[in-house]
Amino acid sequence: ALAAALLGFAIAFVSMSRTDRPGDFLYWYTAAQALLRGESPYDVIPAIDPARFETNFFYPLPAAVLTVPFVALPYAIAGGLFVAISSGLLAYGLARQGVYKLLIFASAPYLISAVIGTWTPVIAAAAVLPWLGFLAVVKPNVGLASFLYRPTRWMVVGSVLLLAISLVIRPGWPAEWFHDLMEVPGRVVPLLTPSGPLLLLLVTRWRRPEARLLLGYACVPQAPWFYDQLILWLIPATARQSINYVYISLFSLLLWMYLGGVEWRYGTWFLSAVLYLPPLVMIMRRPNEGEPDRGWRDS
């Protein structure tokens, strides 16, 4: 966990020290500063600096609330620390399932997440560390996948409490957030891409938590890039599967960049195919068996 934290800090600090490409962490860092000034993040971003903010603030207010402790630090250090904590928690949770799971830190989604500073790693950690469940509400699409993989009382109660705190801080934020959500550009729903219907085969493996994760996440909008799909690295069950999935992601990222990324006409189709079909094959080779039904987990 410590090694992963140091790796995350180094990648994020170097990336966020570049003034020309400060990363996504700038959004909630600026949003947290706006909260401390008594302003609405949904009004401040991108109005405060259109040259640096290409879009509105598309995150629920809890993302800004939880970033408040970081704003006392210079931006690059704050971003590095944010990624370090997320990476350390993810490594701690995954290593308990098997050391081979740590291959996630060589994957394209992790590298992209660390470079720009996203919430995805720590929400993926919430899927294996129940006491982090309250973070699901910070990025609801990934939070849903985490919940489908391992639903817990911690996740529901923690999310409700965090939402309640955010409503006390700014009661009208849900309306502001929904207004901005209507302008979210370029999101993709993997199930609606040409390869998407194949994912319906997962219904035959509904007892398996990883099958619910993959099918459920394929039904929600997500960024047509590589970082949102980091949580899919919970699916490989052997070192060989993890290594192969890492190779696929890295090769796909290089090909994606070479072919123009999000400007490539069929880029979202390609992204869905290369990140969703390999874990589909992994799951379909497993029996439709899950853990004994004990109701919602207590921990």
Side-chain angles (χ1 to χ4, degrees):
L2 178 59
L6 292 173
L7 173 66
F9 182 88
I11 294 174
F13 179 78
V14 171
S15 173
M16 296 181 195
S17 295
R18 300 173 55 187
T19 57
D20 59 326
R21 303 188 68 180
D24 284 11
F25 182 72
L26 182 63
Y27 277 84
W28 29 95
Y29 184 83
T30 304
Q33 291 175 323
L35 278 183
L36 293 176
R37 295 194 301 267
E39 300 174 332
S40 168
Y42 304 97
D43 293 335
V44 168
I45 299 172
I48 191 174
D49 191 348
R52 302 188 78 184
F53 297 103
E54 298 179 357
T55 65
N56 295 336
F57 187 59
F58 296 136
Y59 287 79
L61 195 68
V65 173
L66 294 178
T67 311
V68 167
F70 294 91
V71 300
L73 300 170
Y75 176 72
I77 295 178
L81 185 60
F82 174 83
V83 174
I85 294 172
S86 301
S87 301
L89 289 171
L90 180 60
Y92 176 73
L94 289 178
R96 299 165 66 185
Q97 295 188 337
V99 177
Y100 72 89
K101 290 279 189 178
L102 299 181
L103 289 165
I104 191 174
F105 293 99
S107 69
Y110 173 75
L111 296 176
I112 297 298
S113 293
V115 165
I116 63 178
T118 73
W119 283 98
T120 308
V122 74
I123 300 177
V128 290
L129 296 173
W131 48 273
L132 289 176
F134 67 95
L135 293 171
V137 74
V138 172
K139 192 174 174 64
N141 59 345
V142 184
L144 173 64
S146 181
F147 179 78
L148 291 173
Y149 181 75
R150 184 163 294 176
T152 66
R153 292 186 179 92
W154 281 90
M155 189 170 291
V156 176
V157 175
S159 295
V160 170
L161 288 176
L162 183 55
L163 282 173
I165 292 171
S166 68
L167 287 170
V168 170
I169 295 172
R170 190 168 186 85
W173 74 260
E176 297 176 294
W177 177 50
F178 283 123
H179 178 269
D180 281 1
L181 277 183
M182 297 300 101
E183 301 179 18
V184 176
R187 290 302 187 259
V188 57
V189 177
L191 192 66
L192 301 181
T193 63
S195 61
L198 291 173
L199 297 172
L200 295 175
L201 292 171
L202 291 166
V203 173
T204 65
R205 298 294 186 273
W206 65 274
R207 293 181 182 273
R208 304 198 67 90
E210 65 271 30
R212 298 192 297 271
L213 183 160
L214 188 62
L215 181 57
Y217 197 39
C219 296
V220 298
Q222 51 206 260
W225 192 222
F226 281 78
Y227 57 87
D228 268 1
Q229 293 74 29
L230 181 68
I231 196 169
L232 300 184
W233 259 258
L234 296 175
I235 296 174
T238 65
R240 181 178 295 277
Q241 289 178 355
S242 294
I243 292 172
N244 289 340
Y245 200 22
V246 166
Y247 282 149
I248 290 171
S249 73
L250 293 174
F251 176 77
S252 300
L253 174 60
L254 293 175
L255 184 60
W256 172 278
M257 296 171 65
Y258 177 75
L259 294 174
V262 294
E263 297 178 358
W264 185 28
R265 182 177 179 183
Y266 301 109
T268 55
W269 297 2
F270 171 78
L271 176 65
S272 297
V274 299
L275 293 182
Y276 277 84
L277 295 185
L280 170 64
V281 173
M282 298 177 201
I283 295 171
M284 294 306 297
R285 297 177 66 183
R286 303 168 191 171
N288 185 29
E289 299 174 357
E291 297 179 353
D293 186 5
R294 299 192 301 247
W296 281 27
R297 296 168 181 264
D298 294 319
S299 62

